[in-house]
Amino acid sequence: MRITDNILIVSVVGTILFSGCVRKPQSAREYPIRPVPFTSVKLTDNFWAPRIKKNADVTIPIAFHYCETTGRIKNFEIAGGLDTGKFQTIYPFDDSDVFKIIEGASYSLQTFPDPKLDAYLDALIYKIGLAQEADGYLYTNRTIAEKHGGEGLHEWANKKRWLNDSISSHELYNLGHLYEAAAAHYQATGKKSLLDIAIKSADLVNRDFGWDRTKVYPGHQVIEMGLVKLYRVTGDRKYLDLARFFLDVRGPHGQQYNQADLKPVDQKKAEGHAVRATYMYSGMADIAAIEEDTAYLKAITRIWEDIVGDKLYLTGGIGATGGNEGFAEPFELPNMTAYCETCASIGDIFFNHRLFLLSGQSKYIDVLEKTLYNSMLSGVSLSADRFFYPNPLESNGQHQRSAWFGCACCPSNIVRFVPAIPGYIYAVTDDALVVNLYISNDASITLGENRIAVTQKADFTRDGKVELTINPEKSRKFGLKLRIPGWARNEAIPGGLYKFEDNNDESVKLMMNGKPVQISVQDGYAVIRRKWKTGDKILLEFPMPVRKVIADQRISAARDKIAVQRGPVIYCAEWPDNNSGNVLNLMLKKDADFKAEYIPSLLQGTEVIKTSGHQTRRTLDGKVDTLADEPVTLIPYALWNNRGPGQMEVWLPTSTRSTHPLPATTIAFRSNVRASKMTKSLSAVNDQIEPADSTDKSSPFYDWWPSKDTWEWVEYDFEKPLNISRTKVYWFDDGPGGGCRIPDEWEILYLNGNIWEPVTTRSRYKVTKNDWNTLSFKPVVTKSVKIKVKLKKDFSAGIYEWIIE
Ligand SMILES: [Zn+2]
């Protein structure tokens, strides 16, 4: 990889400002392609601009509100001696949320100047400064505990500073976010208040860590990226060296969970916790660019191939399992239990953007765009005050966005990511302007000695027409590279894990000052190289038909199903738009037409897709009936769950094999169901969806988590007395990782008059995994039957299905 010498120092998606004692590095190297900072790009579109405004008006204020009410800010006040008391919050990494929100607020201030917010940040930074110990150490949990003779030190932290960081203390994790916030705040305001705190902290870290000093690697990566930003802002090389140290000191012989089982340069597969992983890969990309390190470049390129080859969701989400909040086995991509953490989507956008800046290849932007419009965007509600932590691709109504979380990484990541989105639209090389995303904006771009005003008019995601006006200050020759997205070239997503069912013959149209131009695509870009003059106009037209997507056969969760994509947007069926709220039993018609239609009154105005399908229903003899044709409406996946919880699915069945039919009118189905813990997922117990085994996370289940060591129950009440004599139950058990196991014992009771009495058994009560546990009993006539379940001492329990005959 050749990296040019003529490099500007720019923060990745940030602005440049050098002043005072902050030095500019001499002949420093950087990414060969430089992003045009978001501060140079003013959005004028109807899709992202309103969302960025809402982030400023709604998300940032409520995020600070929760930092106040949960005690996150009080932790700084107590550590700084402004208040007294114990550590106020749950986790030692809670400091990091405050830093991330400061970072987001700093970005936001550059688009929406706000003296009140500016002053609020000043007051907050003052408190952070007081909480910093004299030698630069900043970790409110320890500082507060030391005021109480060590009492209250979090169990994840060691009595000695730093020693537990590889495992759990998150001391360096907090600091990584501090450094990112400090760079952002300095660039936004020119004030050095937070930067000075960050420098004092980083200087301590630099004194304490090194090959001849503490050789502890960060348990949760992010300080690598943070130190690179500090290096860029200060020009001080030691921060870059420290970032590299934290990568080189990592592994082998550590845990796979936090990517420490191998040296980062030797890693070939994406593994472990997905947020930690993408933050580390992004840090490695920074080192690969700045130090021209081909070993790091090779490793992250290989890892990217692994992600797109077998670990990426169609929505751009990553991380399949909740146990490790991370990557699972290849092709293990369940829908209902998909993790797809919002933070992991943001981390993957950081990673893909950096790979683009290193290589100039548009496939990385294809993944970035897919994640941006789907898995990332799903993380925040239209009202901008509700957040998803996991972003599943299927729901039975058990998922709902929350106002805040005990572990609040996702909302604070939304806060800092959204204002910076305009920074992903353009980039420059030494002699070319690159257009990566099609979003209406007015931009002022520096290309060498030239300033270029660019006006872009687009109406993504409604249609594929784009108009670009190029106004260079001086008429000069340079290249204009227009990204031709994969979806406009018959590629659903890079890597081949998902494909369009058939090819679309319509081609992309390109006009230059009213004349058609032949497109030749290089690295995913149409390149126009000419002497540009003021008023030059480009018209681009991407065909945006509705496309059917099919998955690699090795993804069992998507077998015999299709998904629907239009442009970069993935669609889903959601309960309010389809037959009385039932979605999971839908089956699409194979030959159905798909029509896109804009509905201004729906979800603040959105394109929906109309098609047709059938409901399916199980019959009493266990077969599946296909009911009459009916219309099916699909909405953009990112917009689901803005009208309350309910059924949703992205992968739509095309065969009775892959659908979840409506239950047959069995006794259980006709019953009124009650339980010791009433939750939405209770409907699982009589939905007649049989799991593959006791750990099958793709089948709905009901559980009593987090109860342990208690007696729990489920009850069926019949309309009229029935004669019953047999029952069977299928237990949920997510061991060894999860919290549920098969119970210690269970018992069937029936209502005899007003008294619950045990049935007289004719077989043994079995408690086994991976099969039905059947019990015969002496027939009784009753109006109600109850299953009582004794949970294990240290575990909860759950039921997939409970049948009465
Ligand atoms: Zn998160």
Side-chain angles (χ1 to χ4, degrees):
M1 161 109 267
R2 163 101 187 103
I3 295 182
T4 52
D5 294 335
N6 177 19
I7 298 293
L8 278 172
I9 301 304
V10 292
S11 81
V12 173
V13 195
T15 46
I16 327 156
L17 265 176
F18 295 103
S19 67
C21 71
V22 174
R23 288 174 292 125
K24 184 173 178 174
Q26 294 304 303
S27 68
R29 294 176 189 284
E30 260 293 348
Y31 281 93
I33 302 170
R34 284 86 65 193
V36 173
F38 71 87
T39 44
S40 302
V41 183
K42 189 179 177 322
L43 294 196
T44 54
D45 78 320
N46 296 322
F47 191 91
W48 291 109
R51 285 174 162 89
I52 295 172
K53 181 84 170 71
K54 263 194 195 158
N55 188 71
D57 291 346
V58 178
T59 319
I60 292 175
I62 62 158
F64 277 132
H65 165 78
Y66 281 112
C67 285
E68 301 268 6
T69 56
T70 56
R72 280 169 169 76
I73 290 173
K74 199 166 181 196
N75 282 337
F76 289 100
E77 292 167 354
I78 297 170
L82 291 173
D83 208 335
T84 54
K86 297 262 171 81
F87 186 67
Q88 301 287 306
T89 58
I90 307 167
Y91 302 108
F93 54 71
D94 291 333
D95 293 357
S96 70
D97 296 323
V98 178
F99 301 145
K100 275 154 80 183
I101 300 163
I102 294 176
E103 182 186 348
S106 301
Y107 295 147
S108 187
L109 277 178
Q110 294 173 80
T111 308
F112 306 107
D114 179 348
K116 263 171 95 176
L117 179 60
D118 190 17
Y120 179 83
L121 293 186
D122 287 344
L124 185 53
I125 291 166
Y126 172 72
K127 291 172 191 171
I128 295 169
L130 291 180
Q132 185 170 37
E133 296 184 18
D135 64 354
Y137 186 76
L138 183 52
Y139 186 71
T140 61
N141 177 264
R142 182 186 305 280
T143 309
I144 293 170
E146 278 170 4
K147 289 175 192 282
H148 301 276
E151 199 192 320
L153 180 69
H154 201 280
E155 58 179 354
W156 292 353
N158 192 287
K159 278 196 183 128
K160 283 187 89 170
R161 287 177 180 182
W162 315 124
L163 281 193
N164 268 13
D165 201 81
S166 297
I167 310 163
S168 55
S169 74
H170 291 80
E171 286 155 286
L172 297 172
Y173 171 75
N174 286 348
L175 297 182
H177 282 304
L178 168 69
Y179 304 162
E180 295 203 271
H185 182 254
Y186 171 63
Q187 288 166 338
T189 64
K191 296 177 198 172
K192 289 177 58 202
S193 47
L194 192 60
L195 185 61
D196 285 341
I197 294 168
I199 288 171
K200 193 170 168 185
S201 155
D203 288 349
L204 170 75
V205 175
N206 190 52
R207 285 195 303 277
D208 282 358
F209 287 85
W211 293 109
D212 56 351
R213 299 181 294 280
T214 307
K215 282 190 286 189
V216 165
Y217 60 84
H220 192 316
Q221 302 88 323
V222 82
I223 196 167
E224 305 81 356
M225 273 194 282
L227 284 164
V228 171
K229 286 193 177 169
L230 210 50
Y231 154 71
R232 286 198 180 112
V233 168
T234 62
D236 193 334
R237 167 100 211 170
K238 69 171 181 272
Y239 303 128
L240 182 67
D241 294 340
L242 196 53
R244 180 167 195 124
F245 164 79
F246 280 127
L247 288 168
D248 288 345
V249 78
R250 185 171 213 89
H253 312 307
Q255 293 175 12
Q256 190 199 57
Y257 169 71
N258 60 13
Q259 300 82 34
D261 54 334
L262 291 167
K263 285 275 174 202
V265 282
D266 296 328
Q267 297 191 17
K268 295 184 172 66
K269 307 265 180 217
E271 56 180 30
H273 188 269
V275 182
R276 285 171 162 87
T278 52
Y279 286 2
M280 182 176 87
Y281 308 151
S282 300
M284 290 166 73
D286 287 345
I287 297 297
I290 299 170
E291 303 209 320
E292 294 187 82
D293 189 306
T294 50
Y296 272 142
L297 179 64
K298 235 171 109 179
I300 53 178
T301 308
R302 229 162 31 203
I303 290 167
W304 183 86
E305 297 287 347
D306 178 57
I307 295 175
V308 298
D310 55 36
K311 297 193 175 96
L312 183 66
Y313 278 96
L314 180 64
T315 53
I318 51 169
T321 42
N324 63 346
E325 295 194 313
F327 297 104
E329 290 302 307
F331 309 105
E332 186 187 341
L333 294 161
N335 294 316
M336 198 174 281
T337 54
Y339 207 66
C340 295
E341 185 178 338
T342 302
C343 288
S345 290
I346 291 173
D348 205 38
I349 288 175
F350 292 161
F351 177 39
N352 277 281
H353 191 227
R354 283 164 165 80
L355 284 170
F356 157 75
L357 297 173
L358 274 162
S359 69
Q361 293 184 37
S362 79
K363 61 185 180 185
Y364 301 117
I365 304 295
D366 284 348
V367 175
L368 183 157
E369 185 187 56
K370 185 62 62 66
T371 310
L372 182 68
Y373 279 96
N374 301 288
S375 195
M376 185 293 295
L377 189 55
S378 148
V380 57
S381 66
L382 274 174
S383 52
D385 62 354
R386 290 284 183 283
F387 310 93
F388 269 138
Y389 198 117
N391 292 270
L393 282 76
E394 187 174 304
S395 183
N396 198 18
Q398 72 271 50
H399 305 98
Q400 192 164 11
R401 290 189 187 87
S402 298
W404 192 251
F405 303 94
C407 167
C409 53
C410 293
S412 53
N413 239 335
I414 288 281
V415 164
R416 71 179 183 138
F417 177 74
V418 169
I421 288 172
Y424 294 95
I425 298 176
Y426 300 107
V428 290
T429 67
D430 290 343
D431 63 349
L433 166 60
V434 187
V435 186
N436 274 328
L437 298 179
Y438 297 103
I439 301 171
S440 292
N441 69 81
D442 295 315
S444 172
I445 297 167
T446 306
L447 183 64
E449 303 286 292
N450 209 351
R451 250 197 185 303
I452 307 161
V454 178
T455 301
Q456 186 183 152
K457 286 193 184 126
D459 200 5
F460 269 33
T461 57
R462 281 189 66 184
D463 70 41
K465 291 197 191 90
V466 181
E467 184 190 296
L468 281 158
T469 311
I470 310 289
N471 293 314
E473 204 174 61
K474 298 172 211 135
S475 187
R476 290 276 187 281
K477 190 170 177 181
F478 61 87
L480 181 69
K481 300 179 92 174
L482 303 159
R483 174 171 157 263
I484 308 297
W487 51 259
R489 293 182 279 111
N490 285 314
E491 185 185 76
I493 198 164
L497 203 47
Y498 307 101
K499 291 194 166 78
F500 291 132
E501 194 178 50
D502 37 38
N503 271 345
N504 174 38
D505 300 332
E506 295 169 86
S507 52
V508 180
K509 293 194 184 88
L510 175 58
M511 310 264 278
M512 170 82 217
N513 292 333
K515 294 199 186 86
V517 178
Q518 197 65 36
I519 298 180
S520 70
V521 178
Q522 298 164 15
D523 289 336
Y525 294 88
V527 187
I528 305 175
R529 195 166 288 281
R530 71 195 300 268
K531 192 172 177 187
W532 295 87
K533 56 178 194 324
T534 295
D536 277 342
K537 228 179 211 46
I538 306 284
L539 284 175
L540 259 170
E541 201 174 331
F542 299 109
M544 245 193 216
V546 181
R547 309 292 298 270
K548 291 189 223 174
V549 183
I550 49 172
D552 187 301
Q553 279 301 299
R554 288 169 287 185
I555 304 175
S556 62
R559 226 172 271 154
D560 291 322
K561 295 177 182 180
I562 61 158
V564 174
Q565 176 173 345
R566 183 170 175 274
V569 178
I570 301 297
Y571 281 77
C572 70
E574 199 195 8
W575 65 275
D577 311 303
N578 295 290
N579 58 62
S580 31
N582 290 314
V583 165
L584 299 183
N585 73 318
L586 275 177
M587 196 177 101
L588 285 197
K589 285 180 73 178
K590 278 214 169 85
D591 53 351
D593 279 343
F594 289 85
K595 264 178 71 179
E597 183 184 325
Y598 185 75
I599 304 187
S601 58
L602 183 66
L603 295 162
Q604 303 180 5
T606 188
E607 205 82 22
V608 301
I609 289 170
K610 302 233 160 156
T611 182
S612 63
H614 314 277
Q615 290 203 51
T616 56
R617 180 186 291 282
R618 199 173 293 283
T619 59
L620 282 169
D621 58 3
K623 298 204 178 86
V624 177
D625 255 1
T626 305
L627 310 185
D629 273 27
E630 56 178 271
V632 173
T633 300
L634 310 176
I635 62 158
Y637 164 73
L639 296 183
W640 88 279
N641 198 255
N642 277 294
R643 295 169 290 176
Q647 294 193 348
M648 179 279 293
E649 68 183 356
V650 169
W651 286 103
L652 305 160
T654 53
S655 131
T656 50
R657 279 193 304 270
S658 53
T659 182
H660 290 327
L662 287 174
T665 50
T666 58
I667 294 176
F669 176 69
R670 282 180 287 139
S671 305
N672 180 36
V673 190
R674 297 191 297 142
S676 52
K677 183 182 148 208
M678 296 297 288
T679 62
K680 276 248 168 198
S681 61
L682 185 57
S683 62
V685 299
N686 64 346
D687 64 4
Q688 295 166 24
I689 300 170
E690 187 174 330
D693 55 47
S694 283
T695 57
D696 177 6
K697 292 235 172 132
S698 64
S699 293
F701 56 87
Y702 166 75
D703 67 77
W704 288 285
W705 173 260
S707 299
K708 294 167 193 167
D709 201 22
T710 50
W711 278 96
E712 305 289 343
W713 54 268
V714 176
E715 180 181 321
Y716 288 156
D717 300 324
F718 313 136
E719 276 170 12
K720 55 180 196 307
L722 295 173
N723 188 336
I724 57 171
S725 59
R726 212 168 90 103
T727 185
K728 52 184 193 171
V729 59
Y730 206 118
W731 303 110
F732 170 72
D733 183 320
D734 59 356
C740 290
R741 300 289 185 278
I742 52 172
D744 275 339
E745 54 180 303
W746 58 288
E747 190 181 14
I748 296 291
L749 306 173
Y750 74 102
L751 200 59
N752 185 6
N754 289 326
I755 297 163
W756 286 103
E757 288 188 6
V759 294
T760 308
T761 57
R762 285 182 167 166
S763 61
R764 219 164 37 84
Y765 279 105
K766 273 200 310 179
V767 194
T768 53
K769 279 202 279 198
N770 305 326
D771 205 355
W772 289 101
N773 288 190
T774 304
L775 178 81
S776 298
F777 50 88
K778 193 175 151 209
V780 290
V781 175
T782 183
K783 270 199 80 171
S784 294
V785 62
K786 183 184 272 189
I787 180 168
K788 276 182 72 181
V789 180
K790 170 66 175 42
L791 311 189
K792 282 195 187 317
K793 186 165 174 294
D794 296 319
F795 293 100
S796 198
I799 290 178
Y800 279 107
E801 202 67 21
W802 176 37
I803 291 174
I804 289 287
E805 288 162 356

